[in-house]
């Protein structure tokens, strides 16, 4: 025995340098040994076995995951027993499917609900279905991972939103549109024969945060996913996800009946087209009985759609919903549409969709981005929220940081998501929050959904920036329960992922909590928007005036001139404000009462106009750019303090990215203050030191990132 | 102590499922414990310490790598000592820089040479420089990894070719042109602040197989690499590579003086252009003192070049060589050029470059692909080899399997590389092999080079297909010593990477050795070429007749008609054969004496023409397609036998890819025999069973992989 131990030890020493402890692959499911011996002993005493009965595949997955997690956390094997064999006297964990009674809400969320409670010596994790059990198991593991006691645990939880999806903008050639973490994790040429082990770890991660659906391909969709050849590949993925309670959805190419069906038209009212989609849907369900449904980007940014045939979005969506037949699927129809040269882009989705409210079939949800333009660092809530009471609306947010510094800026997005969810549309009086629109409670919808555009790729740590894992995590947690605070989520993620040392946790959470406001400050303060680099959306390009369309420029949005800055969307301007309910209009219609964070979204403000801060617009603008950039240095200092408490490789990684972020924050600051100064003709206010470079120099720097 | 050991053991158990033993990341540098205890004891006795003196960075790297390797292999720490402290009585390994005397050859290859021999109790690894030592150290580790004895070791080695480079076709946006293993491992937005640990492991792998240079960006080059901003990033990479004896090279965009220099022209004879390149070169060397030089694709496939200004390739290359000034750099100018509609593509590089022989400056090498078309599964050697005696020629081969099944076909490429290297150009009589052209010995060149287009990406195992690692490995080993056999290289790679069990090694090596011939059989037997899917080069598309240019179609190359099949390149046809030396012309000019493997490269052969095999062309063609596809099933059966001897995850991965390969081999077979049957009008000969599907059905299958 001593020899064997010695050998093991030697093996470990040998293997150590080759097996990095923390390359980020394990995400928040690290399951490292609980460091505190006393605490560990308590957990061990409570979890001497895992018991369950039945053959439910998700239940079995839950038991396996719990075993894996506890073995890592407790450092000892935890046997999985048949319920009968477990007995009732030894302390253990019992998993059971037991739908709760006396619970209102959609059938699905009841099935997904779980309770954790004690019954004699057993800690029971009871789920409304296998899915409920797996969510309960991950909640239990989280309890241990974050160092909470198990004794007296009595938890009951169910999701507030029914369809909780990641949307992958992954292309068949392996690239990811707006992806900054390597290439697509789906290996289409290997499927269905080869199943990358990563697919399973991906499913585990999603299940652990309560996500139950995945749209696997880009909304700018290829028709090939609907071919028999590719459906076999999709089926293989669905088979990996199913034991984790996750359903597969497909983004569809509207013209598929023409491209792969050989039809002359894709008119949704054409009988042959209807028949083609119905047959295709049937074919899909034969292969994937729990297929989730379709996600559609139509008549947007060059994609074909029903309007090509004089039909409406409702005509298109309803045809697809009918094609689903008796199967349990849905259609998520995206409202992200805007035409070239047809007025304020802010208004276009509203104008296209508002009048269709009431025309959509029961199983259609309209998917609306959080804001009216396109995933800017800060946007007012989309005016469609609250404006389509007869239609369930899916909230679409973006986890991949297309406009938020890609993979080199540390921006925790939960505050952005929360800001939108907590926004009060006032459409049914005060308290008509976006969250209540989305969860269906405001308008008593039977179905509800939320979608996050994934930030996942083949990078070893999944998300490029290690801290961007928190955005995936936070999205799932908020999709489950949007009442959680951004800080609470950051805290549990940090404890599970980075460190349990209290001071370090507090420091990291503080930085996370402020990071998005800091990003806004050094890029688009006071309601500036869409002034980033052309096409690649990297770095500042407020001077961009020539592009394929006016609404792809920057000057279209900031409207800087000698008088002032900002887009007048009041009645004197584009009148986009009229899309909101009267209460919102009243607050945002007056520059004096508009929150400063939204000011330039709605008003063209004079450079010398005093703001509530006591500064003029120009001075406030400059102040925010400078203090924003300075705050990145603060983030660096704060991060430096946690060095002893986090993994060394991870520390170095984040520290290096913060250096980049600091440098690029100064680019943004210099580019923007120098450019806007050409209009304001005013000096940089003290105590700030004017940039040492010229505007031309900054332009050159940004330009080179757009070279072929 | 027992408690500590127990804890370690528990930690190990806990960590085990999270740390896959063999995800392929470690490549052939696994350094797993030597299993045989007796053998291990011998190695331990011989390697009780590592000693060296001096501050040479590469020497220090060599010592660190040796320590790491031995600790893993021997399962015990091996101290690194100063030479003086090591003493002479204890058995250890002494690393020293000691340039050999009495050795001819280029100064650089002498510096890179190494000797391993015993001096008293010490095993000495002596290198001509630090680089020589590191190559010797990896040779020593290979000795242990493959289970060879150290006692009596007496080895002397130096590279036969001076510049041994990987060419990365990596783009600034992170994609890799013709890459099938994820995205680019270079993270440009993170550089120079963040150095991904992967860069170091990449450098280790290259050094371990003797590569000494890396062209880091696509030959379809972005100008941005030449900006001050990007040079800082390149400098950071160079800093990672330098301690491994690896120099950085840049692919340059010919029009850079216009695009980033603000000049009106990129004419190589323009004084301002010359000045711009000279200044740029100086700037590069200020940042990277050991910068290797420039790689250029000009006037090819739409890239700009000196011909845009009525200048020659020599004018362009010589201007760049002059721009290098007194620095130790070279220019590698690619000969891969072909114009639309200007006759047989086979001849064009020759026609453009042959007459320039003698006009290139001393530091210019012309880089020539192994064959005249483009990295087909089998090509005759490029006619430029031997035809430019006054110019050093770099042999360019492709490791990434653009035309060889991407990442789903197991094709060991060393036989392909060897076939080219061993080809006899006969330009200076028998024995004038391509290898002797390339190493410079045939024409007494001072410099020599070889380049492999990398097959590396962010996939965890680097190369997508696990077996494709062997192609990276074999390229390096052959670049060092092209006299090694493909089987010998396969054997050492297999032992280091997969298994040491003799029967399994023999089986795997047998499959590897045959894999390329098998691939040729089921895709392009008898000298067929360029009949793959358009653009993506995936799957068969022999029917392709419409493309942007005639020489991008398939029919241009196979010329199937009712009479027969093949491209007549004799004097009655395009006369491309005239580019070869008389002896080669004689053999290949007559269909009867042309090797069957090259037959259709040079002759249009009647369907009923009898071949030396005793079959007609049609029957031989069908036989090869069928036996080729059947051979993949044979590969599967052979692979199945090694299951107990290789890592389980790796076994499953390769087995699944073989399933895909089998399926796609049948596609190729069916597509090609059904298509060519429309010309031959003859039945599938017995005993082969005709395809059960129609040509239209196979076409549909291939077409869908090209859908948007």
């Amino acid at each position: 025995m001593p020899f064997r131990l010695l050998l093991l030890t030697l093996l470990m020493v040998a293997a150590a340098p080759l097996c990095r402890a923390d390359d980020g692959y394990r995400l928040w499911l690290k399951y490292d040994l609980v460091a505190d011996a006393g605490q560990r002993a308590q957990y061990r005493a409570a979890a001497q076995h895992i018991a369950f009965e039945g053959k439910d595949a998700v239940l079995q997955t839950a038991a396996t995951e719990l075993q894996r997690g506890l073995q890592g956390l407790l450092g000892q094997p935890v046997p999985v027993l048949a319920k009968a064999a477990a007995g009732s006297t030894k302390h253990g964990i019992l998993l059971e499917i037991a739908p709760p009674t006396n619970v209102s809400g959609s059938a699905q969320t009841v099935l997904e609900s779980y309770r954790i409670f004690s019954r004699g010596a057993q800690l029971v994790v009871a789920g409304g279905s296998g899915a409920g059990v797996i969510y309960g198991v991950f909640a239990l593991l989280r309890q241990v991972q974050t160092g909470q006691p198990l004794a007296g645990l009595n938890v009951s939880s169910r999701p507030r939103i029914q369809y909780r999806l990641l949307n992958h903008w992954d292309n068949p050639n392996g690239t990811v549109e707006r992806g900054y973490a390597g290439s697509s994790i789906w290996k289409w040429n290997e499927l269905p024969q080869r199943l990358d082990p990563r697919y399973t770890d991906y499913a585990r991660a999603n299940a652990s945060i309560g996500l139950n659906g995945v749209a696997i391909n880009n909304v700018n969709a290829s028709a090939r996913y609907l071919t028999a050849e590719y459906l076999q590949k999709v089926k293989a993925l669905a088979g990996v996800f199913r034991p984790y309670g996750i359903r597969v959805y497909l983004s569809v190419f509207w013209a598929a009946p023409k491209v792969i069906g050989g039809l002359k038209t894709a008119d949704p009212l054409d009988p042959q087209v209807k028949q083609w989609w119905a047959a295709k849907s049937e074919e899909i369900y034969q292969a994937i009985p729990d297929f989730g449904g379709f996600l559609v980007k139509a008549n947007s940014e060059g994609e074909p759609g029903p309007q090509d045939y004089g039909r409406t979005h409702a005509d298109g969506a309803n045809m697809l919903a009918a094609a689903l037949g008796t199967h349990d699927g849905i259609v998520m129809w995206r409202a992200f549409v805007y035409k070239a040269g047809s007025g304020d882009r802010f208004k276009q989705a509203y104008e296209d969709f508002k009048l269709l409210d009431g025309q959509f079939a029961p199983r259609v949800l309209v998917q609306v981005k959080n804001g009216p333009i396109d995933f800017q660092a800060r946007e007012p809530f989309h005016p469609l929220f609250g404006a389509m009471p007869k239609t369930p609306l899916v909230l679409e947010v973006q986890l991949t940081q297309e406009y938020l510094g890609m993979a080199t800026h540390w921006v925790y997005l939960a505050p952005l998501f929360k800001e939108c969810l907590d926004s009060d549309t006032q459409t049914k009086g005060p308290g008509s929050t976006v969250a209540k629109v989305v969860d269906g409670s405001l308008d008593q919808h039977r179905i509800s959904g939320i979608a996050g555009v994934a930030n996942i790729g083949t990078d070893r740590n999944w998300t490029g920036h290690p801290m961007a894992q928190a955005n995936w995590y936070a999205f799932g947690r908020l999709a489950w329960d949007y009442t959680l605070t951004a800080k609470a989520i950051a805290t549990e993620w940090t404890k599970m992922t980075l460190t349990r040392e209290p001071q370090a946790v507090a420091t990291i959470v503080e930085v996370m909590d402020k990071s998005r406001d800091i990003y806004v400050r050094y890029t688009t303060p006071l309601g500036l928007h869409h002034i980033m680099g052309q096409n690649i959306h990297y770095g500042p390009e407020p001077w961009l005036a020539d592009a394929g369309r006016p609404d792809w420029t920057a000057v279209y949005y900031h409207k800087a001139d000698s008088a002032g800055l900002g887009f007048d969307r009041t009645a004197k301007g584009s009148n986009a404000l009229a899309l909101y309910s009267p209460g919102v209009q009243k607050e945002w219609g007056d520059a004096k009462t508009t929150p400063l964070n939204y000011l330039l979204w709605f008003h063209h403000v004079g450079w010398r106009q005093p703001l509530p801060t006591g500064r003029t617009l120009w001075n406030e603008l400059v102040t925010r750019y400078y203090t924003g950039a300075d705050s990145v240095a603060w983030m660096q200092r704060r991060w430096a303090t946690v060095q002893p408490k986090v993994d060394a490789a991870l520390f170095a990684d984040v520290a290096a990215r913060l250096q980049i972020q600091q440098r690029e924050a100064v680019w943004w600051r210099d580019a923007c203050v120098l450019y806007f100064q050409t209009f304001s003709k005013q000096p940089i206010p003290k105590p700030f030191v004017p940039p040492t470079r010229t505007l031309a120099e900054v332009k050159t720097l940004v330009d080179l990132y757009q070279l072929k």
Side-chain angles (χ1 to χ4, degrees), chain A:
Chain A
M1 182 66 169
F3 175 74
R4 197 162 154 259
L5 282 177
L6 184 65
L7 186 66
L8 281 167
T9 313
L10 290 171
L11 276 166
M12 255 197 68
V13 170
L18 305 170
C19 170
R20 284 198 197 85
D22 212 352
D23 59 14
Y25 182 79
R26 296 177 298 159
L27 297 160
W28 46 88
L29 302 175
K30 293 212 157 56
Y31 302 151
D32 286 336
L33 192 71
V34 172
D36 183 292
Q39 202 174 35
R40 198 165 65 237
Q42 288 182 2
Y43 292 138
R44 285 181 178 183
Q48 296 175 46
H49 63 254
I50 298 161
F52 75 101
E53 64 181 1
K55 299 212 173 294
D56 184 276
V58 186
L59 178 61
Q60 291 190 19
T61 308
T64 305
E65 184 71 26
L66 184 57
Q67 183 182 40
R68 174 180 181 162
L70 290 178
Q71 287 196 2
L73 289 158
L74 311 189
Q76 67 179 19
V78 180
V80 176
L81 309 173
K83 186 177 174 184
S88 60
T89 53
K90 222 169 150 189
H91 285 270
I93 298 170
L94 177 64
L95 311 182
E96 62 181 27
I97 296 177
T101 50
N102 305 326
V103 178
S104 64
S106 84
Q108 183 182 314
T109 61
V110 172
L111 290 174
E112 292 183 329
S113 71
Y114 65 82
R115 289 166 298 144
I116 307 175
F117 57 93
S118 293
R119 185 195 294 151
Q122 309 301 310
L123 188 61
V124 180
V125 179
S129 67
V133 176
I134 207 170
Y135 299 135
V137 156
F138 278 112
L140 182 64
L141 284 168
R142 190 159 56 233
Q143 199 76 4
V144 179
Q145 289 175 281
T146 56
Q148 310 301 310
L150 296 185
L153 196 59
N154 196 338
V155 177
S156 180
S157 183
R158 69 191 171 95
R160 291 175 184 271
I161 298 173
Q162 184 177 348
Y163 296 101
R164 305 177 301 280
L165 274 77
L166 284 187
N167 288 2
H168 283 263
W169 286 359
D170 292 20
N171 298 316
N173 68 358
T175 58
V176 180
E177 183 164 331
R178 308 304 177 185
Y180 312 104
S183 55
S184 172
I185 59 173
W186 318 128
K187 303 287 190 179
W188 293 109
N189 281 12
E190 299 174 10
L191 287 165
Q193 283 82 5
R194 176 167 187 267
L195 295 171
D196 194 313
R198 194 158 192 155
Y199 304 153
T200 304
D201 288 322
Y202 166 83
R204 290 175 57 231
N206 279 343
S208 78
I209 52 177
L211 297 176
N212 64 6
V214 183
I216 52 178
N217 62 313
N218 192 352
V219 290
N220 296 318
S222 168
R224 67 170 90 173
Y225 295 101
L226 294 173
T227 63
E229 174 80 5
Y230 267 70
L231 287 177
Q232 288 306 307
K233 301 172 189 275
V234 178
K235 174 186 178 179
L237 286 178
V240 175
F241 301 159
R242 190 171 296 116
Y244 292 89
I246 294 168
R247 298 168 74 178
V248 161
Y249 298 73
L250 283 175
S251 298
V252 296
F253 181 61
W254 183 258
K258 293 166 69 179
V259 172
I260 60 168
L263 301 187
K264 296 260 187 291
T265 177
D267 179 349
L269 301 193
D270 181 277
Q272 283 191 301
V273 171
K274 289 183 187 181
Q275 170 53 30
W276 188 88
W277 281 107
K280 183 54 68 181
S281 171
E282 189 58 37
E283 181 189 352
I284 296 172
Y285 277 98
Q286 287 301 319
I288 309 165
D290 60 345
F291 177 67
F294 300 121
L295 173 61
V296 190
K297 174 176 181 176
N299 292 123
S300 170
E301 299 186 316
E303 293 293 322
Q307 292 178 343
D308 302 346
Y309 307 94
R311 316 301 181 188
T312 69
H313 288 293
D315 293 330
N318 295 347
M319 184 276 289
L320 281 184
L324 292 167
T326 57
H327 298 293
D328 175 27
I330 56 171
V331 174
M332 291 159 292
W333 193 274
R334 292 174 88 242
F336 179 67
V337 295
Y338 62 108
K339 293 183 192 70
S342 58
D344 186 359
R345 175 171 162 187
F346 192 114
K347 298 158 70 174
Q348 293 183 42
Y350 185 100
E351 287 169 349
D352 262 25
F353 278 84
K354 163 72 181 169
L355 56 121
L356 298 176
D357 190 35
Q359 297 185 27
F360 289 100
R363 285 189 293 174
V364 174
L365 301 96
V366 170
Q367 183 159 319
V368 181
K369 291 187 181 185
N370 58 290
I373 300 299
D374 191 15
F375 297 136
Q376 298 301 293
R378 172 168 272 133
E379 299 200 28
F381 69 90
H382 200 295
L384 276 175
F385 289 112
M388 296 185 70
K390 296 174 183 159
T391 311
L393 300 187
V394 176
L395 169 62
E396 177 179 315
V397 296
Q398 195 182 44
L399 315 187
T400 189
Q401 292 171 233
E402 176 179 356
Y403 300 98
L404 284 109
M406 300 187 177
T408 53
H409 292 234
W410 179 2
V411 186
Y412 176 52
L413 296 177
L416 187 161
F417 306 154
K418 290 283 289 184
E419 190 170 293
C420 176
L421 286 159
D422 292 345
S423 291
D424 194 348
T425 69
Q426 302 187 36
T427 48
K428 291 198 168 178
S432 306
T433 60
V434 171
K436 288 184 180 171
V437 173
V438 171
D439 77 2
S441 63
L442 193 69
D443 305 301
Q444 280 81 50
H445 289 299
R446 199 184 52 80
I447 54 178
S448 57
I450 187 166
V453 179
N455 59 349
I456 295 163
T458 51
D459 276 1
R460 184 63 182 165
N461 72 4
W462 301 85
T463 57
H465 200 309
M467 293 300 167
Q469 293 183 353
N471 295 331
W472 180 8
Y473 183 87
F475 170 71
R477 298 287 289 138
L478 286 172
W480 183 276
D481 182 2
Y482 56 73
T483 69
L484 294 169
T485 68
K487 275 188 114 152
I489 296 170
T491 302
E492 63 184 40
W493 176 81
T494 301
K495 286 181 177 175
M496 293 163 79
T497 311
L498 301 177
T499 178
R500 292 263 303 275
E501 196 280 320
Q503 185 54 49
V505 171
T507 300
I508 293 167
V509 169
E510 183 193 12
V511 174
M512 289 173 75
D513 193 50
K514 296 193 164 145
S515 59
R516 184 269 193 138
D517 265 327
I518 291 170
Y519 184 83
V520 170
R521 276 191 169 241
Y522 65 73
T523 59
T524 49
L526 293 170
L528 284 171
H529 51 282
H530 206 289
I531 58 171
M532 70 290 153
Q534 191 171 187
N535 301 328
I536 56 169
H537 301 172
Y538 174 79
E541 200 173 356
W543 49 82
L544 177 63
D546 290 316
R549 298 163 43 160
D551 52 3
W552 289 346
T553 70
V555 299
Y556 174 97
Y557 295 96
H558 64 66
K559 303 216 185 292
D561 57 22
S562 60
L565 181 66
F567 198 135
D568 185 352
R569 292 191 166 102
T570 68
K572 293 174 292 169
S574 78
N575 205 22
L577 255 174
L579 310 184
Y580 289 100
S581 59
V584 176
Q585 284 187 47
K586 184 155 185 279
E587 184 186 358
W588 295 354
D590 183 345
K592 291 197 181 58
T593 57
T594 305
L596 286 187
N597 283 337
Y598 297 148
L599 183 64
L600 304 177
W601 272 99
F602 297 107
H603 303 281
H604 192 71
V605 182
W607 293 113
R608 295 170 187 276
Q609 176 71 36
L611 301 184
T613 59
R615 301 187 189 93
T616 64
L617 172 70
W618 168 251
N619 284 354
E620 184 65 30
L621 188 78
V622 174
T623 299
R624 292 195 178 205
Y625 273 114
Y626 272 80
T627 56
D630 289 348
S631 296
V632 181
W634 170 82
M635 293 170 76
Q636 290 180 288
R637 291 193 299 273
R638 300 305 291 154
W639 182 250
T641 67
V642 308
Q643 178 162 17
K645 304 300 180 188
V646 300
D647 176 84
L650 176 108
F651 176 82
D653 187 344
V654 174
R657 288 178 204 265
L658 279 168
Q659 281 185 50
I660 304 167
Q661 185 174 353
Q662 168 61 14
R663 181 164 166 269
E664 295 181 352
V666 175
W667 288 6
W668 269 97
R669 180 197 74 190
D670 289 357
C672 294
V673 301
L674 290 171
Y675 170 74
F676 291 125
Q677 197 176 35
T678 65
F679 298 95
S680 80
K681 312 283 188 195
Q682 293 187 54
I684 303 296
K686 288 187 177 161
F688 305 118
V689 180
T692 52
R693 53 187 153 193
T694 66
L695 180 55
E697 283 165 347
V698 194
K699 279 187 182 179
T700 302
L701 202 48
V702 172
D703 286 350
L704 79 91
Y705 277 88
Q706 307 212 15
L707 285 175
K708 174 202 127 168

